[in-house]
Amino acid sequence: MKRMRHILMWIGLIMTAMTAEAQSVMPVLRVEMNGSFTQNMSSYVNGTMELTDTDGSVVSLPAKFKTRGATASQYMMKPSFNMKLRTTDYSAEADSALLGMRSCSSWILDAMAIDRICMRNRVAFDIWNEFSRLPYDTQFDGRNGTEGRFVEVYINGTYYGIYCMSDRINRKLLDLKKTRENADGSSTIRGVLYKSGTQDVADQNNVGYSADSGACVISYHNAWELTYPEDLGGAVAWAPLQDAFNNGQTAAYVKRYFYLDNLADYQIHVMALSIADNWGNKNHFVSVRNITKSIDDPTEAEADKRRFVMTPWDLDTSLGGAYDGSCYNGTYTDWPVSGVNSNQPYPISAVHYDAEYTLTVYRRWREVRNGPFSPDSVNAKLERYRDLFIQSGAWQRMVDHFEAKSSKPQYVTDLAREISLIEAWYANRFAEMDTFFGITPIDEVPEMSTDEAYYDLLGRKMSSRPCTAGIYIHGGKTIVIVE
């Protein structure tokens, strides 16, 4: 028995050492482009990618690349890219499962050039994927956000530092119905995917389409891209989104055409993580599985295919970050929870005071505050990536590389200290969320509301029965008042 214990102990030590060794290595992606990339590389150029995983395995594939994102033109010392895997003659897409992620042909190489810790977008998506799923089943377990892995990137032989390679929000991930090609040569659009915020329409003061109808200004400075089907823009494709904004500014419409749980999850996500650049008509997707279906179909599963789903995007201003990397070293964005709550974008604005939706948001925070949004859980994600960056040596290599350059992206030299400061910021944010939703008065001071008075969710006694819809405490119980 003693011998067996020794054997098991040594096995445990070996496994621990192997795990530590795996965690101390980061995959390496080497990109070779035909020619050099330029500041306005809006068209794809052919090349190759060679990906070396932590176990030493290598994948080499033809690919094409172009710069992406508004920040790419400002941070050419560390640009972000779209990468599309191709067949050997570059004539067609070629799916591949990279680093254990789902098999697909289109990938994002996110430089994270304005995020001083190079992980905010990934941490925020990890949290989102943990607590929020699509309201229907898919082959990807209902995932409604990107999946990503950190890699060190070389482009044409030059080192560029830490990137996050991730899949995309697309038709396949969201299980949107593919456009049907008809026998007469026409096409029937079914699934649609819209992305909020675009620079493809120069004049956003006036409603209208871009030249190719691939983008549309729905209302004043409310511009969208048609992500799918990207080559079939026009009245049919845009009609559902136009109808929602033009005719759907009521709680009844939103409750009919959207999923309240999905909207509540989005609101909680933005509020808790202070995702400053994602409130309003920017940085999210809206999709419909099949616009040929009727919301009045007697079969609920069929009617649901006509409902909208929101999906977040570009979360690098989360956890106190700023759009230009200016917030760091203990000074972070100060966007109060109450301020986020009072500035609702459509469709949340239409149901903001609806009792059913208000209760959904309240209950949702109570459900997730001890799980994915708990300080321990958020800290664990930050520390996991911190340890990977530091123990692999990748962070120091990146810092040393850019310290010697005149043009630099945004970063901190002391990553461990910065992460500890962000953790302190989030502890305060979490407490602010609890205060806003009245968690402490309800959980710790129940006797406060056992009389016949009414209290709001902040524990404040009201002079009379409230006359507006909302959630209140009365007689020691949480009650909902509907107008």
Side-chain angles (χ1 to χ4, degrees):
M1 183 64 69
K2 186 175 181 180
R3 179 181 176 85
M4 181 59 69
R5 284 200 300 266
H6 280 294
I7 292 173
L8 292 174
M9 181 185 72
W10 279 109
I11 291 174
L13 290 173
I14 292 169
M15 293 300 294
T16 300
M18 291 174 63
T19 301
E21 182 179 359
Q23 290 176 341
S24 66
V25 179
M26 190 179 293
V28 174
L29 177 66
R30 297 182 183 276
V31 169
E32 293 292 332
M33 297 183 191
N34 297 344
S36 59
F37 55 84
T38 63
Q39 188 167 357
N40 297 310
M41 202 172 80
S42 57
S43 298
Y44 281 96
V45 298
N46 292 343
T48 59
M49 59 81 73
E50 180 184 275
L51 180 63
T52 304
D53 205 343
T54 56
D55 61 1
S57 61
V58 178
V59 175
S60 298
L61 296 168
K64 61 181 185 178
F65 308 86
K66 74 172 182 178
T67 53
R68 67 179 307 275
T71 58
S73 61
Q74 303 173 43
Y75 291 95
M76 281 306 295
M77 81 296 291
K78 195 187 182 200
S80 293
F81 288 91
N82 287 334
M83 177 176 74
K84 291 189 175 182
L85 306 180
R86 310 297 288 180
T87 55
T88 53
D89 62 357
Y90 294 92
S91 64
E93 298 177 356
D95 289 350
S96 182
L98 303 177
L99 301 179
M101 293 182 281
R102 70 183 174 102
S103 182
C104 53
S105 63
S106 187
W107 299 85
I108 294 169
L109 301 178
D110 184 8
M112 306 163 293
I114 62 97
D115 178 12
R116 290 181 180 268
I117 61 172
C118 288
M119 66 176 77
R120 279 185 167 92
N121 185 65
R122 187 69 265 141
V123 169
F125 261 121
D126 288 351
I127 294 169
W128 173 260
N129 290 338
E130 186 177 343
F131 91 100
S132 185
R133 313 303 280 185
L134 289 166
Y136 51 87
D137 294 332
T138 69
Q139 63 176 312
F140 306 109
D141 193 32
R143 177 157 61 89
N144 191 24
T146 69
E147 185 178 26
R149 301 288 185 271
F150 289 105
V151 297
E152 288 188 271
V153 170
Y154 292 80
I155 301 174
N156 289 353
T158 300
Y159 181 71
Y160 278 82
I162 299 172
Y163 279 62
C164 188
M165 186 171 72
S166 67
D167 65 351
R168 303 180 67 93
I169 305 298
N170 59 15
R171 182 198 67 81
K172 186 182 293 186
L173 178 67
L174 303 181
D175 195 30
L176 310 180
K177 281 294 184 180
K178 195 172 184 179
T179 298
R180 184 172 60 228
E181 304 301 330
N182 302 318
D184 61 1
S186 63
S187 300
T188 299
I189 297 172
R190 298 189 292 175
V192 291
L193 178 62
Y194 311 104
K195 181 183 176 185
S196 64
T198 179
Q199 302 302 315
D200 290 349
V201 182
D203 179 11
Q204 298 191 8
N205 295 325
N206 299 300
V207 172
Y209 301 133
S210 62
D212 63 356
S213 297
C216 181
V217 179
I218 304 293
S219 56
Y220 179 76
H221 279 251
N222 178 20
W224 293 72
E225 294 177 13
L226 183 63
T227 302
Y228 184 82
E230 59 184 340
D231 55 348
L232 289 176
V236 173
W238 286 107
L241 194 67
Q242 290 172 322
D243 180 65
F245 275 95
N246 295 331
N247 304 309
Q249 302 289 333
T250 65
Y253 183 99
V254 170
K255 291 167 73 172
R256 188 180 184 206
Y257 280 92
F258 290 80
Y259 296 91
L260 290 191
D261 288 346
N262 173 243
L263 300 186
D265 283 356
Y266 190 89
Q267 179 175 341
I268 287 291
H269 198 227
V270 174
M271 290 174 70
L273 301 184
S274 186
I275 313 179
D277 213 22
N278 294 64
W279 215 220
N281 297 315
K282 188 179 179 183
N283 289 344
H284 64 269
F285 290 91
V286 171
S287 60
V288 180
R289 276 185 287 169
N290 191 343
I291 63 175
T292 68
K293 297 294 182 179
S294 170
I295 199 70
D296 296 315
D297 193 295
T299 304
E300 183 178 0
E302 293 301 302
D304 280 351
K305 292 177 182 177
R306 179 55 183 82
R307 302 176 86 180
F308 292 95
V309 168
M310 287 185 71
T311 304
W313 182 246
D314 197 9
L315 307 176
D316 54 7
T317 62
S318 57
L319 294 166
Y323 73 95
D324 58 358
S326 59
C327 294
Y328 68 106
N329 194 31
T331 301
Y332 304 106
T333 53
D334 185 21
W335 191 23
V337 168
S338 59
V340 182
N341 183 65
S342 62
N343 289 278
Q344 309 285 349
Y346 179 80
I348 296 173
S349 59
V351 289
H352 183 38
Y353 295 107
D354 178 80
E356 181 184 0
Y357 178 71
T358 303
L359 182 60
T360 300
V361 175
Y362 167 72
R363 285 176 171 169
R364 195 64 174 128
W365 175 246
R366 291 182 67 89
E367 290 171 358
V368 300
R369 62 181 294 280
N370 290 321
F373 283 98
S374 71
D376 285 346
S377 180
V378 173
N379 292 351
K381 293 175 177 63
L382 289 165
E383 292 167 12
R384 173 192 172 201
Y385 294 133
R386 174 204 65 191
D387 292 348
L388 172 64
F389 291 179
I390 293 175
Q391 293 172 15
S392 66
W395 191 261
Q396 195 60 51
R397 281 191 290 274
M398 185 176 71
V399 169
D400 290 345
H401 172 77
F402 285 112
E403 286 293 286
K405 303 290 185 181
S406 57
S407 297
K408 313 176 194 297
Q410 305 285 3
Y411 58 87
V412 294
T413 55
D414 191 342
L415 180 63
R417 179 176 182 273
E418 187 69 12
I419 294 299
S420 67
L421 292 171
I422 292 170
E423 290 178 347
W425 173 88
Y426 183 70
N428 291 330
R429 186 70 175 190
F430 181 83
E432 187 182 352
M433 286 288 288
D434 270 358
T435 298
F436 179 83
F437 285 105
I439 300 299
T440 299
I442 295 173
D443 291 350
E444 298 182 7
V445 198
E447 65 275 11
M448 175 190 65
S449 61
T450 57
D451 56 25
E452 292 305 310
Y454 286 84
Y455 297 81
D456 65 17
L457 289 181
L458 296 183
R460 296 173 297 201
K461 187 174 182 178
M462 309 183 75
S463 59
S464 62
R465 184 185 188 279
C467 58
T468 58
I471 304 173
Y472 304 94
I473 296 128
H474 177 65
K477 298 179 180 179
T478 302
I479 64 169
V480 177
I481 296 178
V482 182
E483 288 182 323

